[in-house]
Amino acid sequence: MTEPQVEVRRSKRRKQTVSAYRDGGKVVVLLPARMSRAEERHWVDEMLSRLRRSETRRKSPARASDEALMNRCAELSQRYLDGLAVAAGVRWVAPMRTRWASCTPAEGTIRVSRRLREVPSWVLDYVLVHELAHLLVPGHGADFWEWVNRYPRTERAIGYLEGLTAAADLGTGGGDPVSDDEVD
């Protein structure tokens, strides 16, 4: 993996803390002005490592392929749905206009919009748990939400998706925060 371009910014006002962030294709590392060149090299390496770890943690391995998505569904079903929700097929699809994902319970299939490939893993996990729950309960009644709410970050993920929708002005409308699931 090629190392990104690094820009080091020193500050006389910065006394102890070191921080880093991505700015386009480069990484900006903020250091106290008093640091030696050796300390600078150490902290640049350390901050690049931390950024990589953080970014890897945030992105779900399920984004890699349909097979990885299917495997993630199996793990989530075991963990949160007592292993009862078994999808016959799960796949990434072209971005949907009005939903993040959809489920056809009669066929046991789940489709997930590619727009979710870059969201944090806990958001994608929520969407998958939501769709898997439709394999157990087709509608959006209280019994459905009992299953979905077993996922501990449900509320947070709904808020994230609502914010993403608002920011992109996607206009998915009200109602269900994840999908207008197809129920056959």
Side-chain angles (χ1 to χ4, degrees), residues 3-33:
E3 289 295 320
Q5 177 188 355
V6 177
E7 177 183 332
V8 175
R9 295 183 189 165
R10 292 174 171 267
S11 169
K12 291 179 184 176
R13 292 173 53 193
R14 187 177 283 267
K15 300 298 179 197
Q16 294 180 339
T17 61
V18 176
S19 61
Y21 62 91
R22 287 202 182 272
D23 184 14
K26 69 180 172 185
V27 173
V28 178
V29 180
L30 307 170
L31 301 170

Side-chain angles (χ1 to χ4, degrees), residues 26-131:
K26 69 180 172 185
V27 173
V28 178
V29 180
L30 307 170
L31 301 170
R34 64 164 179 74
M35 280 194 174
S36 69
R37 294 291 174 210
E39 289 173 311
E40 176 183 312
R41 279 190 303 277
H42 163 78
W43 280 107
V44 165
D45 291 343
E46 176 66 21
M47 297 314 282
L48 286 173
S49 177
R50 287 183 187 185
L51 275 174
R52 273 192 298 273
R53 279 194 313 268
S54 173
E55 290 166 351
T56 299
R57 261 195 318 270
R58 269 182 277 177
K59 292 183 179 173
S60 174
R63 66 191 166 94
S65 67
D66 291 349
E67 182 181 356
L69 198 59
M70 183 75 157
N71 291 338
R72 187 62 183 156
C73 281
E75 292 169 17
L76 293 168
S77 178
Q78 279 303 132
R79 187 177 302 159
Y80 301 110
L81 305 173
D82 299 334
L84 298 173
V86 179
V90 184
R91 63 188 173 99
W92 290 104
V93 296
M96 300 178 194
R97 278 185 346 109
T98 61
R99 46 180 104 158
W100 297 109
S102 65
C103 176
T104 305
E107 297 173 10
T109 59
I110 296 171
R111 291 158 307 287
V112 181
S113 173
R114 285 188 200 126
R115 291 188 292 156
L116 294 174
R117 271 204 158 127
E118 298 304 318
V119 300
S121 61
W122 54 271
V123 175
L124 179 58
D125 283 354
Y126 161 72
V127 171
L128 295 175
V129 168
H130 180 109
E131 299 307 331

Side-chain angles (χ1 to χ4, degrees), residues 110-179:
I110 296 171
R111 291 158 307 287
V112 181
S113 173
R114 285 188 200 126
R115 291 188 292 156
L116 294 174
R117 271 204 158 127
E118 298 304 318
V119 300
S121 61
W122 54 271
V123 175
L124 179 58
D125 283 354
Y126 161 72
V127 171
L128 295 175
V129 168
H130 180 109
E131 299 307 331
L132 286 165
H134 279 302
L135 297 175
L136 305 175
V137 180
H140 288 103
D143 49 349
F144 167 80
W145 286 106
E146 281 181 35
W147 285 108
V148 174
N149 286 325
R150 288 178 165 202
Y151 181 68
R153 293 185 170 182
T154 292
E155 271 191 58
R156 186 174 176 204
I158 289 170
Y160 183 99
L161 292 169
E162 288 173 346
L164 196 58
T165 299
D169 194 27
L170 296 174
T172 59
D176 181 22
V178 173
S179 65

